[in-house]
Amino acid sequence: MSPAAIARLQSARDDDPTDVWEWYQFQRQILGEELSRAIALLSNSSGALEHRAERYFGKSHDELIELFAAQTRELDLLTMLGMLAATEGRLQRDCFSRVHQRLKDAVSREFRRANKRRVRHRQRLSLEEDILRVWKDNCSHASAKNAINDFQSLLSVRHWLAHGRFWLGKFGRGYDAQDVHVICSNLLQVLGI
Amino acid sequence: VAKETISDFFRQKGKATRPSTGTRESRKQEFLQALNKLFEQIQGELVDSDVEVDRDEIDVYEQSFGGYKAPRLDLVIGDEAVAFIPKGFNIVGAVGRVDVKGERGDGMLVLQPEGRWCVVQGTRPTLKLIPLTPESLLELLKEVMRA
């Protein structure tokens, strides 16, 4: 890895899925409050609307609910992508630091071996083929293996979101933002990252 | 101080959000009367035309107010039709709404609190309402019907 790349990685942001989750809670609260304000406009039959509320003009109760449901759906999807990206960032930074600090544990040694192979082929370490594989091969607890499996199942959602949802997403189970938060936080916790 | 129970909580919430039966009924009746007047006004404009006019009833359902029957109006000109379909009276910024559905597009009429029908010409970036007149009705029909 070049000195410039190392410097870039060392000064990188330290996003965490929980930060994204807290941001999401805040946005949900704001959306909920705005929905309450919009619904309250229905009982104001004087017809006078402040300029800010004109975006809701002419809408029925059901249409307001549908409008805010669509906002929440979009917020959920972007939050899921944000949490998956933050988790990937944490896994990548942990791997980088193990390789760079030449730690002696089995996982770090495996990461260094994988990194050497990748450098020879002018490639970067892959999240799926290197990082998650090494963790899976080197963890003895069933809970850690389950956490990795759960996260790997989510990667199809991550790819779908990150590539602009241009295909019809078919996932074994429907995930929402809370599922993704639980899976990502659990993974980082059991791996001690 | 008495402790609040879950039932108290929901009772309070219901009171705050559910309109009284009197309010419900009077708002519905005002809307239905305004609808009949609107459709008579439109039919009045068509006296000397070849337009076939159909009046029918539809079921309207509004959250917090329930379901009721309301009139709808269909204009048929040759192989083309325009429908005036009541949406309801629990509407943001208005006391009634009728959707105008043509083959080229949709329009919207809203009932203002003073009992006047207006054509919605747009809501973005600013709300633009113009009173319903023979001229604005003609413009609306031209917009929603085939060229």
Side-chain angles (χ1 to χ4, degrees), chain B residues 60-77:
Chain B
V60 177
Y61 181 82
E62 297 196 62
Q63 189 70 38
S64 312
F65 291 88
Y68 56 94
K69 292 221 179 281
R72 70 174 273 173
L73 181 78
D74 290 87
L75 307 181
V76 184
I77 309 100

Side-chain angles (χ1 to χ4, degrees), chain B residues 4 11 46-47 51 63 90 136 147:
Chain B
E4 187 188 36
R11 207 171 297 125
L46 303 168
V47 171
V51 178
Q63 189 70 38
N90 196 29
S136 62

